[in-house]
Amino acid sequence: MQQPDPPHTIPGHIAPHIPADVYQQVDGRPVVIIQTPAPAPARSIRKWAMPLAIGLAGAAGVLGLVAAAVAVFDYAARTAAFIGSTTGPIGLGLSLKLFQSKNK
């Protein structure tokens, strides 16, 4: 009965199988077995596309929040400028009258 060939990558520190005729040819001399590692499989698109999509979605969300904050601040500044310009001298006179010193 013929034994199947051992797998190409053997886990751990176990040496691969040496055929009997080669072992007898060695006749007690030291043997060096070189076992090259299996090539690493290429990363699939799904492995790097998902983190990239999550990162881009997070960046777009932060950009949207910043844009909304800037729009709110711009609206508040324009509203304050409009109210200040419509009150004109009446508003300035009232402000001076309200905020003057009380201990004369």
Side-chain angles (χ1 to χ4, degrees), residues 71-88:
V72 167
F73 292 142
D74 182 50
Y75 182 74
R78 287 177 187 264
T79 304
F82 175 73
I83 291 172
S85 68
T86 55
T87 56

Side-chain angles (χ1 to χ4, degrees), residues 42-52:
R43 290 188 67 155
S44 68
I45 291 176
R46 196 173 286 185
K47 287 199 179 201
W48 62 265
M50 195 61 155
L52 182 65

Side-chain angles (χ1 to χ4, degrees), residues 13-39:
H13 301 288
I14 301 171
H17 173 72
I18 301 172
D21 56 341
V22 175
Y23 181 74
Q24 296 206 0
Q25 287 176 3
V26 173
D27 195 32
R29 291 178 284 164
V31 177
V32 176
I33 299 172
I34 299 174
Q35 189 174 10
T36 58

